[in-house]
Amino acid sequence: VIERGGRCEATTHISIRCREVLQAKRDRVERLDECSIEADKRENGLVSLEAILALKKTMKEVIHPSVPQYAKDGIHPGHWACKKAEASVEKAYEDATNQLRDACKASSDGEEIREAKQICLAVGVPAWHPAIMGADNLLKKREDDFRREKQAQEAEAKLAERQAAAKARAAARAKG
């Protein structure tokens, strides 16, 4: 009877531990799934930077880097929720780079391009991505064009000033 009671108690402890592990896993999966759903939402077709950053933070917290071995370990990287979260992040990368390309095509203002570039970098698109490099080149070209235009305007203003001064001197000579 004593042995039987000990086995029952051990079984109860194991059952409680299994339930706790399963509840923790369920909570992690639900949290990751909720963040994935939020990250997939788009406002006016635009990526929500806050939602993507929250998803990436949650992924770091709940996904275990390899096969989980202990109760405190996160979710296995091959779990469906992890795959869904990774797909959401990839979609956000793609959408952010598309936004950047659209901004480069449509915008005559460099500020819109800079904002789209910052979103790309914040989402996690690498700086060597062709869309970001293209935006950098376009921004440099526009800055160079703006600088040249400003220099040309300054040169025209100086020329006009010199011509006005020359006319004034010629008029003073003619009077005097």
Side-chain angles (χ1 to χ4, degrees):
V1 174
I2 293 174
E3 288 180 13
R4 184 161 192 233
R7 277 187 264 150
C8 288
E9 187 175 335
T11 303
T12 303
H13 284 296
I14 291 171
S15 298
I16 290 170
R17 180 175 155 82
C18 288
R19 189 183 76 228
E20 289 171 354
V21 168
L22 290 173
Q23 284 176 340
K25 181 178 179 180
R26 184 193 67 216
D27 292 344
R28 290 181 185 122
V29 168
E30 286 176 354
R31 213 169 111 206
L32 192 59
D33 193 40
E34 288 172 6
C35 286
S36 293
I37 290 170
E38 283 298 314
D40 287 338
K41 292 180 182 175
R42 302 286 187 261
E43 285 185 30
N44 301 326
L46 302 178
V47 174
S48 170
L49 182 58
E50 294 81 19
I52 295 300
L53 294 178
L55 173 61
K56 290 178 78 173
K57 180 181 177 188
T58 302
M59 287 173 69
K60 285 182 182 178
E61 292 172 358
V62 301
I63 297 176
H64 195 268
S66 61
V67 178
Q69 296 179 354
Y70 302 102
K72 64 179 175 42
D73 290 348
I75 304 169
H76 187 280
H79 193 279
W80 66 266
C82 298
K83 297 295 183 187
K84 182 179 178 184
E86 289 168 0
S88 295
V89 170
E90 287 296 320
K91 178 91 170 94
Y93 288 174
E94 187 178 316
D95 290 349
T97 56
N98 287 339
Q99 282 178 254
L100 180 58
R101 286 185 185 111
D102 293 344
C104 288
K105 289 177 186 173
S107 176
S108 60
D109 181 21
E111 193 59 36
E112 186 179 334
I113 296 171
R114 283 186 194 88
E115 288 174 11
K117 179 185 167 194
Q118 290 304 318
I119 289 173
C120 282
L121 293 173
V123 166
V125 177
W128 49 263
H129 190 279
I132 293 179
M133 293 178 77
D136 285 340
N137 291 338
L138 182 63
L139 286 171
K140 286 178 186 174
K141 182 179 179 285
R142 288 186 180 174
E143 288 172 1
D144 289 344
D145 291 347
F146 178 74
R147 190 175 347 99
R148 282 190 206 113
E149 186 178 312
K150 188 175 179 181
Q151 288 173 348
Q153 288 174 352
E154 288 174 356
E156 285 179 22
K158 283 183 181 179
L159 180 62
E161 186 179 302
R162 287 180 189 159
Q163 288 175 345
K167 284 182 183 180
R169 281 192 302 260
R173 282 185 201 152
K175 279 187 174 182

